[in-house]
Amino acid sequence: MTTADELVRTPLDAEHERLGATFTDFAGWRMPVRYDSDLAEHHAVRNSAGLFDLSHMGEVEFAGPQAAEALDHALAGALSKVKVGRAKYSLLCAPDGGVLDDLVVYRLAEDRFLVVVNASNAAQDAAELIARAEGFDVVVTDRSADTALIAVQGPRSPDVLRSAEPGIASILEGLRYYASEPATIAGMDVLLARTGYTGEDGFELYVPHDRAAELWNVLLAAGEQHELSPAGLACRDTLRLEAGMALYGHELTSETNPFSAGLRRVVALDKEFVGRDALAALAENEPPQLLVGLTGTGRRAGRAEASVLGPDDAVVGTVTSGVLSPTLGVPIALAYVDRGLSEAGTALRVDVRGRAQDYTVTALPFYKRA
């Protein structure tokens, strides 16, 4: 068991202490789970803006003449087709087709990419990506220790950035969703990306590790007039679940495949990559279970690993994530259920601590911004 002293701390740890954060062990990192109220932070992101420390995420750089080809081989998506300045969601799959991680890849130049991976898999992913790049004319470098990541998420996030750096307005006007561009904020060079994990408009800012605290405080001060709140991991989880976004270790694991998870669109079977043959074979048949959204009644939420019940209370699936939705006011969940019961509108039940509660299969996402 990891002790508090053994946890890795982000470069913003002292800032979180100063703000009175409550901490948790997340993938071996000491991370702020909340500063005040989970609900208040959730609603701040939905209605104004929230400020997140995501410096526990991993960053791996591919640079060289065959960077695109190496990534095409390593990942399920066709990264060579991504234009400079754009980003793509993709998957790192095992040879048997299981999902080792989901990730985002930014194309920074014709011959340079940044791969952003989940904290829980960062070391393993970096090693696997380096191994898969062997034989290609590319240099793969784990930049995780040198890079901090701060996110501003919510409808007023553009206002926060403009207040922090008035000169950034022209960049924001042309920056599309899933795009990135180098920018300067208060004299600090950042990679500014219009990406996020909340279902809201927002930005992720990559900055050198030693400038993280300075950038955090600039953004925090700029956000005072825009009702910006520091936000922890607890509300990040409820936000992403309302937006129907998968979390590795819950909806995605090495035991699941992209087709069951509804991610067929991100798998490019027309190219060769690690896991391609196994996935091509799986694609010939419909998966026996599918990931679906479930909406319940009352105030009791089914949590991860709860059984989903069908006709005659037979077990027909398993909840992977569940919560009482702060925005919608009802229980919601993601779950794998038998394919024949996966259509929207299907009535099911979930075993919530020994009591069967009514749920209905619901089209995702549960929440979509206006």
Side-chain angles (χ1 to χ4, degrees), residues 274-310:
V274 177
R276 186 264 174 202
D277 292 346
L279 288 174
L282 287 171
E284 294 180 359
N285 300 294
E286 298 291 353
Q289 288 199 325
L290 291 173
L291 184 67
V292 301
L294 297 174
T295 301
T297 59
R299 308 291 292 177
R300 290 162 57 86
R303 305 292 181 173
E305 301 185 2
S307 295
V308 180
L309 310 175

Side-chain angles (χ1 to χ4, degrees), residues 8-21 23 30 32 35 53 212-213 216-217 220:
V8 182
R9 302 186 179 215
T10 81
L12 298 172
D13 188 78
E15 304 306 318
H16 304 319
E17 287 273 12
R18 183 176 59 80
L19 292 167
F23 292 89
R30 185 177 189 253
Y35 299 86
D53 177 11
W216 173 272
N217 285 310
L220 200 61

Side-chain angles (χ1 to χ4, degrees), residues 3 129 142 149 151 203 207 217 230 232 247 252 255 301 323 338 368:
T3 67
L129 289 168
D142 187 352
L149 175 55
F203 303 88
V207 63
N217 285 310
L247 174 64
L252 298 172
E255 303 301 314
V323 71
D338 291 350
K368 188 174 183 179

Side-chain angles (χ1 to χ4, degrees), residues 184-203:
T184 301
I185 296 178
M188 290 171 277
D189 292 333
V190 304
L191 176 65
L192 177 65
R194 202 162 207 154
T195 48
Y197 193 51
T198 64
E200 297 294 341
D201 189 16
F203 303 88

Side-chain angles (χ1 to χ4, degrees), residues 27-51:
W29 288 79
R30 185 177 189 253
M31 296 296 297
V33 66
R34 68 182 60 82
Y35 299 86
D36 182 13
S37 158
D38 299 353
L39 286 176
E41 293 167 22
H42 180 106
H43 290 308
V45 176
R46 287 280 179 255
N47 298 313
S48 52
L51 186 65

